[in-house]
């Protein structure tokens, strides 16, 4: 990953560009919104993990018994064709 190569000077340059783009007055609101987004993301990830742990306990073994008889599929032979016995042409 390239972030390991960023030094202090590089980070100051990036910070300066961000200040130029967004302005110093909008940076606190931007940081607050970012922090709230991260907190919401962490909360949702925790909720998903709790749901996953809760559903794992209720999962039953769905592997079929190899000795159990297997249901054969029903084959539809199609429409039944009756021979024409009416010889009146």
């Amino acid at each position: 990953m390239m972030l390991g190569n960023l030094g202090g000077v590089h980070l100051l340059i990036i910070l300066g560009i961000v200040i130029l783009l967004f302005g110093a007055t909008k940076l606190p609101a931007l940081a607050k919104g970012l922090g709230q987004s991260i907190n919401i993301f962490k909360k949702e990830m925790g909720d998903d993990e709790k749901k996953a742990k809760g559903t794992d306990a209720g999962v039953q073994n769905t592997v079929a018994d190899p000795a159990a008889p297997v249901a054969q599929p029903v084959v539809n032979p199609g429409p039944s064709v009756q021979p024409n016995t009416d010889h009146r042409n």
Side-chain angles (χ1 to χ4, degrees):
M1 191 177 221
M2 293 182 54
L3 292 177
N5 295 335
L6 290 178
V9 176
H10 294 107
L11 293 175
L12 286 175
I13 292 171
I14 292 172
L15 180 64
I17 292 172
V18 168
I19 289 173
L20 286 175
L21 289 176
F22 295 106
T25 57
K26 290 187 179 180
L27 283 181
L30 215 86
K32 181 180 177 183
L34 181 64
Q36 288 175 346
S37 298
I38 290 172
N39 286 336
I40 291 170
F41 178 75
K42 286 181 181 179
K43 180 182 165 233
E44 292 296 324
M45 290 299 293
D47 290 346
D48 287 344
E49 288 177 6
K50 287 179 185 175
K51 286 180 186 177
K53 286 181 182 177
T55 57
D56 287 345
V59 174
Q60 296 177 355
N61 187 3
T62 57
V63 177
D65 182 16
V70 178
Q72 297 296 324
V74 177
V75 178
N76 187 0
S80 141
V81 178
Q82 299 292 330
N84 187 2
T85 57
D86 186 20
H87 298 291
R88 297 185 233 160
N89 285 338

